[in-house]
Amino acid sequence: MFLADFWRQNTRRLVALALIICLFWFTRLPTLSANERATIASHFSFTPLPLPELTGTLRFSRSVHPSMERHSAWISAVGASVGLNDLDGDGLPNDVCYVDTRTNQVNIAPVPGTTARYQPFVLEPSASLYRDTAMAPMGCLPGDLNEDGLIDILVYYWGRTPIAFLKTASSVKLESTIYVQQEIVTEQERWYTNAATFSDLDGDGHTDLIIGNYFPDNAEVLNASATGVESMQHSMTRAYNGGRNRLLLWKNATMGNKPKVQFQEAKEVLNEQIANAWTLAVGAADLDGDLLPEIYFANDFGPDRLLHNRSKPGKLNFALLEGKKTLTTPNSKVLGHDSFKGMGVDFGDVNGDGLLDIYVSNIAGEYSLEESHFLFTSTGKFEQMRRGVAPYIDRSESLGLSRSSWGWETKFGDFDNDGVLEALQATGFTKGNINRWPELHELAMGNDELLSNPHSWFRLQTGDDLSGHGHNPFFVRANDGRYYDFAKELGMDTIQVTRGIATADVDGDGDLDFAVANQWDSSVFYRNESSKLGTFLGLKLLLPVAGNLEHVTGRPAIGANATVHLPDGRKLVAQVDGGNGHSGARSSEILFGLGDLNPNTQVPIDIQWRDSSGRVHESTRLLSSGWHTVLLNEKNVGNSTEV
């Protein structure tokens, strides 16, 4: 009787309690046992080595326009950058180019732990090109700009247009004097560039440039002596008053001791909303198999943009792609409809279907602003692209990559050579002692008409904190199919505020190393010393160069596709990267992990590329494990020279 009365009187409460318990159970994130974590962690081992620090006056914030002084730490939040490549021509990507925000310098050095082949030096523009009181370097992008087979450096800035540092043909020892400085555009403007990448946009066989800009062109953001009032973004979710993104087509170049390169801007290709977004990262990759790269703009304060490439040589043509919403898909998780803060982008095949997926970083910190990172997986329905549909579905939550912190760079890499990609992420905004999240929340809920006025912004200066006490995740995929962060087990959970990540097999031993660029702090190289490594196959895909420069085999075949066919039917895919992301540039080699495959087993590899005239070629070859340098011979397509 008592129980019957109790149930009758408390039915609603008990049902509500049961629903709460069920919902709580379903919202719990999956976990791994201690034994599972230990087993997975045993596959990885990294030794951190600080990047060399050159002398210079240390600073920990920037001088900014007087109207922005109240939130100077916000303005000072970017600039750290890192790239790994073969700058000295010794055949290994064992040189590092990085921006140290504390000294406002672009540094070139041998990677720590490698032979001291030259003294570290600063890549410094001449006084006629650079003014420290109103400009700052934001990134260094290694690449062969004039197509002579020597790796040059593109440095991009806040406060001016990018500068090309072209390596001279007669250079023997790497030092600052061997570089010739050159403007890449003729107009003397103030750009606020946050990202850049090389890619053959029009399919003519030459490497073009994509420039992602942030603050409005010709603003005086870093000029503490300027007058007036500068503008911030006009919205937290739909801001289109930023600097203009540029597409620069390669026109011609000269080699030798007086190298030059000429680019020409392709104007009126991007509509106003795409061109004037507040861009933090750019990516270019051939997603539909036609060897024309699609472009992904990761935008702050508004929707990211994926552009389908429909170009012809000399004439660019891009169409906006947007995902399709389903009954269970939130609007913000549909590609092209997000209102998040896109900050990093990378491409890799995470579901083993032989198609590239897209990994995008946003703000996703617990108890602060938990939006979501994205992992847009391909459906393979590329015919939809012709109808303006992006054939991608966000799987970040089910795959365990939707949450971390305030995210920036994203990078895929197979660090244990098991044939499954790991996922790295740079996180953190500014490290201090006073939590400013309440003020940022208040600002974000304000009227957009007030937001663009810097006087309406909250105080954010040195000593204030926004997601400044986390670590960079190192995500590994477990047997349940989800990614889990193993930074703690690997001793890599040091507090860092990081912007760029670059990957390369620095010492040529068949495993990927990586470097991180930290904001207002020392930057770090992580040498891979993992002992439980699978078999690997590495490719250096090169195009022939004009002339007969000594010790030059060819130039990186940016955008070339490689597909490895494994005996079990799986396919591994990758493309030669031209510098995708926010401010970290991986080297141009491709490294595939082959798992437990016998090292002597030869596997078929399909290679697709465009030659220097834009003609498309395909070659299939059998290769065994190890590093292979492949010169993509244009005259004898079926039998490309292997060095």
Side-chain angles (χ1 to χ4, degrees):
M1 187 70 176
F2 171 77
L3 288 176
D5 290 340
F6 175 82
W7 280 107
R8 189 165 49 251
Q9 296 172 12
N10 297 281
T11 299
R12 292 183 179 179
R13 296 185 181 92
L14 292 172
V15 170
L17 179 61
L19 286 173
I20 291 172
I21 293 173
C22 289
L23 290 172
F24 172 75
W25 179 262
F26 282 115
T27 57
R28 292 179 62 195
L29 294 176
T31 59
L32 296 176
S33 69
N35 286 338
E36 288 178 295
R37 296 192 70 90
T39 299
I40 293 174
S42 69
H43 286 249
F44 304 93
S45 178
F46 296 91
T47 296
L49 301 169
L51 296 186
E53 298 179 6
L54 283 68
T55 58
T57 302
L58 296 182
R59 69 188 84 182
F60 297 93
S61 65
R62 303 192 191 282
S63 297
V64 302
H65 190 281
S67 65
M68 297 175 161
E69 177 59 33
R70 181 176 173 82
H71 59 288
S72 60
W74 186 283
I75 309 300
S76 304
V78 293
S81 171
V82 63
L84 294 171
N85 216 299
D86 181 11
L87 302 182
D88 62 354
D90 67 352
L92 292 171
N94 52 8
D95 306 292
V96 60
C97 171
Y98 63 103
V99 176
D100 190 332
T101 50
R102 298 169 302 171
T103 59
N104 238 16
Q105 292 176 338
V106 179
N107 301 323
I108 306 292
V111 170
T114 65
T115 306
R117 304 172 304 281
Y118 54 91
Q119 289 296 314
F121 61 89
V122 176
L123 205 60
E124 190 171 8
S126 63
S128 62
L129 299 179
Y130 183 78
R131 186 159 56 97
D132 186 64
T133 56
M135 303 173 185
M138 291 287 132
C140 51
L141 178 61
D144 185 1
L145 277 82
N146 63 331
E147 301 184 352
D148 62 355
L150 305 175
I151 300 300
D152 313 302
I153 304 288
L154 179 79
V155 181
Y156 50 90
Y157 302 85
W158 272 15
R160 62 153 296 120
T161 49
I163 299 175
F165 290 81
L166 304 175
K167 189 179 179 184
T168 57
S170 63
S171 56
V172 177
K173 183 179 180 181
L174 204 61
E175 56 186 1
S176 61
T177 57
I178 70 171
Y179 289 95
V180 174
Q181 302 175 28
Q182 183 203 309
E183 300 271 13
I184 65 161
V185 294
T186 56
E187 298 85 357
Q188 297 296 314
E189 295 183 308
R190 289 185 295 275
W191 293 0
Y192 292 84
T193 305
N194 271 338
T197 192
F198 296 111
S199 187
D200 181 5
L201 295 177
D202 60 347
D204 68 349
H206 299 286
T207 305
D208 310 307
L209 261 172
I210 309 172
I211 302 293
N213 288 326
Y214 197 69
F215 279 102
D217 297 346
N218 296 314
E220 295 272 17
V221 173
L222 299 182
N223 188 353
S225 301
T227 59
V229 177
E230 290 298 327
S231 178
M232 297 294 293
Q233 73 272 16
H234 191 257
S235 169
M236 280 289 187
T237 59
R238 293 292 183 271
Y240 305 117
N241 63 326
R244 192 167 192 84
N245 294 324
R246 260 76 176 191
L247 305 179
L248 305 177
L249 294 180
W250 191 96
K251 301 305 293 182
N252 57 61
T254 58
M255 306 177 185
N257 293 327
K258 295 182 179 180
K260 294 181 180 179
V261 64
Q262 181 183 358
F263 292 93
Q264 181 176 334
E265 181 179 354
K267 299 183 178 180
E268 299 180 1
V269 176
L270 307 176
N271 69 38
E272 289 301 308
Q273 289 190 355
I274 297 173
N276 293 111
W278 294 66
T279 299
L280 283 172
V282 295
D286 172 22
L287 301 178
D288 58 356
D290 62 358
L291 286 180
L292 288 173
E294 277 61 57
I295 300 176
Y296 193 100
F297 286 110
N299 296 323
D300 211 351
F301 315 123
D304 293 353
R305 297 301 189 192
L306 176 62
L307 306 182
H308 185 215
N309 197 335
R310 304 174 182 178
S311 304
K312 303 291 183 182
K315 185 173 180 56
L316 295 183
N317 181 18
F318 290 93
L320 177 65
L321 300 179
E322 295 182 332
K324 284 289 188 180
K325 178 179 170 56
T326 66
L327 182 64
T328 59
T329 309
N331 288 336
S332 57
K333 301 278 264 183
V334 178
L335 197 155
H337 288 269
D338 66 286
S339 60
F340 298 167
K341 286 74 187 170
M343 299 181 180
V345 60
D346 198 20
F347 305 92
D349 179 13
V350 298
N351 53 5
D353 61 358
L355 304 173
L356 292 180
D357 307 305
I358 309 172
Y359 183 24
V360 180
S361 201
N362 293 287
I363 302 177
E366 290 185 348
Y367 308 111
S368 49
L369 186 58
E370 195 162 11
E371 295 180 326
S372 176
H373 309 306
F374 297 139
L375 184 54
F376 292 115
T377 58
S378 175
T379 66
K381 299 177 180 179
F382 298 122
E383 69 280 359
Q384 294 180 339
M385 287 179 157
R386 286 292 167 184
R387 303 196 302 271
V389 176
Y392 292 88
I393 299 173
D394 176 52
R395 305 287 191 193
S396 58
E397 179 67 8
S398 61
L399 289 173
L401 290 176
S402 65
R403 311 167 187 233
S404 65
S405 181
W406 192 309
W408 295 85
E409 194 82 86
T410 58
K411 279 290 184 292
F412 284 124
D414 185 355
F415 291 89
D416 61 349
N417 293 341
D418 66 347
V420 180
L421 296 176
E422 282 72 59
L424 276 62
Q425 191 178 46
T427 62
F429 188 78
T430 182
K431 182 169 61 176
N433 300 314
I434 304 173
N435 184 1
R436 293 297 183 188
W437 268 111
E439 288 90 338
L440 179 54
H441 287 153
E442 184 179 15
L443 177 74
M445 293 185 292
N447 191 300
D448 285 349
E449 298 303 319
L450 296 175
L451 187 64
S452 61
N453 187 336
H455 295 307
S456 67
W457 277 62
F458 63 99
R459 181 189 186 280
L460 187 70
Q461 298 184 334
T462 303
D464 294 330
D465 188 276
L466 281 172
S467 297
H469 288 81
H471 67 267
N472 296 324
F474 187 95
F475 291 110
V476 184
R477 199 166 190 180
N479 289 332
D480 65 0
R482 287 180 62 88
Y483 281 91
Y484 296 86
D485 179 15
F486 279 81
K488 183 177 181 179
E489 286 86 348
L490 301 179
M492 297 194 298
D493 58 342
T494 306
I495 293 175
Q496 297 184 85
V497 175
T498 305
R499 295 295 172 266
I501 302 174
T503 63
D505 179 9
V506 164
D507 41 16
D509 62 353
D511 55 46
L512 277 180
D513 314 288
F514 69 98
V516 301
N518 289 327
Q519 189 76 9
W520 309 114
D521 206 347
S522 301
S523 295
V524 184
F525 169 71
Y526 289 89
R527 185 173 62 207
N528 193 341
E529 298 182 347
S530 306
S531 58
K532 297 181 179 181
L533 292 170
T535 304
F536 83 95
L537 192 154
L539 294 174
K540 300 178 183 179
L541 301 181
L542 303 176
L543 291 172
V545 297
N548 296 301
L549 296 180
E550 189 177 0
H551 306 303
V552 172
T553 304
R555 61 183 176 94
I558 302 298
N561 296 334
T563 303
V564 175
H565 298 268
L566 296 177
D568 62 4
R570 288 185 301 136
K571 293 189 293 185
L572 304 177
V573 297
Q575 297 180 11
V576 180
D577 192 331
N580 293 330
H582 170 61
S583 65
R586 61 163 54 91
S587 64
S588 51
E589 299 83 16
I590 294 174
L591 190 149
F592 292 107
L594 305 182
D596 58 3
L597 188 72
N598 188 309
N600 297 319
T601 301
Q602 291 189 322
V603 292
I605 300 179
D606 297 331
I607 302 174
Q608 296 176 310
W609 74 96
R610 288 183 183 269
D611 64 24
S612 296
S613 298
R615 294 186 297 268
V616 174
H617 302 285
E618 182 172 348
S619 174
T620 300
R621 64 199 61 235
L622 292 173
L623 295 177
S624 55
S625 65
W627 275 108
H628 302 267
T629 299
V630 181
L631 183 63
L632 301 172
N633 193 318
E634 301 169 11
K635 296 180 180 179
N636 192 351
V637 176
N639 186 25
S640 300
T641 304
E642 186 174 324
V643 182

